[in-house]
Structures are given as structure tokens and as C-alpha cells.
Amino acid sequence: MGLHAALAVHPDSGMGAAARIAGTVAHRLRRHVDRLDLLAANTVEHYRALLAESRAAGLDVLVVVGGDGAAHQAVQFCAGTDIALGVVPAGTGNDLARALGMPADPLTAVDAVVAGLRQGRTHRIDLGRAGDTWFSTVLCAGFDAAVNERANRWRYPRGPRRYDLAILAELASFRSREVCIRTEAGVHELRATLVAVGNTAWYGGGVPICPDARPDDGVFDVTVVGQATRRELIRMLPSLRSGRHLDHPAVTTLRAREVSLSGIGWPAYADGEPLGTLPVSVNCVPRALAVLG
């Protein structure tokens, strides 16, 4: 049996960008696979049903065209299996594609996916797991999760600018809170502004909140911003895009395989998707996902 691939397109990703390039992506993929299933869905339930049909037919590779929300759903499907995932960035944040070293231009990224298919080039990366939910990039709680929640309610502007504006809006109302961070190395209780648990470095459309995180080292990098005033946060914001926020005296970093966060009322997000509120416990699962490239 030859190579069986599926192309998952989320038409709403990137304000329709995914839908606009879907035909071109499919055309390029067809030349290098024996079977290509086209999966287009705007609901998670429909998407999962289509994926289940492809898996039952012997799926080898899933290529997803979309943003981090689309990639997150694909990760839920491919995690813990031998089905390789290819990511074509066509969304707002594209942080998983960035961590995988994919070109920012989606059509150039297709060429990279095709090269991986042609050469049979895959490798495995770690994933985080929170209960039954897998995540590939960053789990965040506190200020950054509140920003994510606000940005998700907006349709405009597109791209990283949306997150920048959501940060400014959230600054007006957010307050630091008591949080307890438990890892295999010990317990940290403090008043904090945010906690980010990074399997990879970036979230929020290219913010390197955990700049040293690597998805193949078997551990999380944890960035903790302690109690900070609104003025201190404003001063810290420019350093986030460069990773220099780690030098701020309010910032602490940890490395851990298992992390439990507890506190009152803090929202939690993983891969930009809501996980509810604290408490939440996560563990790093080495080599849980096969990726093309």
C-alpha cells in the first residue's frame, strides 16, 4: 500500500487565508502521495469524524492548513501514534509552525512539507498533557491567559497586533494573585502575575515567553512573573519580543517534567485554547508526536 495522506483545512483560519490556498496545497501534495483525503470542517466534531474515517483507512500523514487552533486539534489526533503531522501556517499566531522551523509563508511551507514527504523525513517531539488534552507549545495561566481570552473574542486586527492590543486592554483590570507551583523539585508559593509552562518557546504570535524551551529535551521550561505593578509590566512588555524579560528581577525560571498550578480564579490556556481555570496539572511526554521536516 502506498502513502496515504489527509489534508485538513480550517476555512476560517487566518480570516479565510487557509481556504484560499487549500487548492494549491492539495495540488502539490497529490504528486507525492498515493491517496489524499480532503478534510474541510468548521466544527471540532465534524473534523474529528473526518479524521476517524481517514485513520480507519490507514492514514500515514496528516497535513493541516491553519493556525494554532487547527494545529492543536491535529495534535489531539496524532499524539501517541505513528501518524506524522505536517503544519502549513495560515492562521493568526502560527506558533507551532514557528517552533518546528517552518517558513512563515504558507506556500513555501508547503514545499518544506513536500520535501519531508518525498524524503520520508520525520522526527518526534515532546508534548505536554493536561488530563486528556495534549498541547504542543505553551500552557499559560494568569495575565497572559486573560490576554489570550480577550484576543480570542476579537476578529480584528489580524496577526500579532491583536495580541499586543489585548495586552494593553488587559493591563487596565488585571491584578496579581496568590499561586502555588508544584514540580518534582519542590513547591513555590508566591503572588504572581503569570505562569507560562513551555514545551516550545513561543506563544501569542511569536512572543518567546520561554525562550530556552526545546520540544525534544523531555522537560518544560517554566517562566514565572511575580508580583508586578502596572507600570512594571508596561516597562517589561518591549522586552517580551526579544526574550530579554528573563533579566527582569520579577521573573523566575524553572525546568520540570511535571507542573501543578493552583490558585483562585485564574484562567488557563494551552496552545491558545481554553482549559478552564486553575488548578491544572501537566506533564511532559517525551517523543509523543511525529512531525514532518
Side-chain angles (χ1 to χ4, degrees):
M1 181 180 292
L3 187 63
H4 177 189
L7 174 61
V9 180
H10 289 242
D12 290 340
S13 290
M15 302 295 291
R20 288 193 292 272
I21 65 170
T24 300
V25 176
H27 175 72
R28 294 187 186 183
L29 290 176
R30 279 198 182 95
R31 292 179 291 176
H32 302 281
V33 300
D34 297 281
R35 170 176 169 175
L36 181 66
D37 299 340
L38 299 180
L39 316 179
N42 276 321
T43 69
V44 172
E45 292 76 15
H46 187 202
Y47 179 44
R48 289 176 176 171
L50 294 174
L51 285 172
E53 292 177 8
S54 290
R55 176 163 51 195
L59 185 64
D60 299 302
V61 175
L62 172 62
V63 178
V64 61
V65 181
D68 287 315
H72 178 76
Q73 293 303 323
V75 165
Q76 309 312 302
F77 176 78
C78 294
T81 76
D82 290 327
I83 299 172
L85 176 63
V87 180
V88 177
T92 300
N94 303 317
D95 288 310
L96 177 57
R98 183 176 289 104
L100 296 178
M102 298 301 292
D105 174 69
L107 294 182
T108 305
V110 175
D111 293 337
V113 169
V114 166
L117 283 172
R118 190 173 58 247
Q119 299 168 20
R121 189 173 66 240
T122 66
H123 64 282
R124 300 195 75 91
I125 66 170
D126 308 335
L127 292 176
R129 191 165 191 176
D132 294 330
T133 301
W134 298 90
F135 67 94
S136 57
T137 57
V138 178
L139 180 145
C140 59
F143 177 77
D144 45 0
V147 168
N148 208 324
E149 198 165 63
R150 184 182 292 271
N152 283 354
R153 294 197 299 264
W154 295 347
R155 292 186 62 82
Y156 297 96
R158 294 176 56 185
R161 180 66 174 163
R162 181 191 300 180
Y163 294 97
D164 293 339
L165 292 178
I167 286 172
L168 294 176
E170 196 60 38
L171 279 170
S173 59
F174 192 85
R175 298 291 184 273
S176 59
R177 297 182 182 180
E178 295 292 332
V179 65
C180 178
I181 307 168
R182 297 179 182 271
T183 73
E184 65 270 20
V187 179
H188 304 265
E189 295 181 331
L190 72 160
R191 194 167 184 86
T193 302
L194 67 86
V195 181
V197 181
N199 182 56
T200 58
W202 295 278
Y203 72 174
V207 176
I209 188 65
C210 301
D212 297 325
R214 300 292 180 269
D216 58 2
D217 58 4
V219 294
F220 296 125
D221 280 41
V222 184
T223 298
V224 183
V225 177
Q227 186 169 6
T229 65
R230 186 178 294 111
R231 179 174 295 181
E232 287 173 325
L233 284 174
I234 291 173
R235 289 176 176 173
M236 191 186 301
L237 290 178
S239 67
L240 286 174
R241 289 283 174 186
S242 65
R244 290 185 292 108
H245 59 285
L246 297 190
D247 298 329
H248 194 282
V251 176
T252 302
T253 58
L254 309 167
R255 284 170 62 82
R257 293 184 300 275
E258 300 177 358
V259 181
S260 294
L261 305 177
S262 57
I264 300 175
W266 264 14
Y269 272 66
D271 291 345
E273 299 296 309
L275 283 183
T277 57
L278 300 187
V280 63
S281 295
V282 300
N283 65 291
C284 182
V285 183
R287 297 174 54 81
L289 180 69
V291 294
L292 283 171

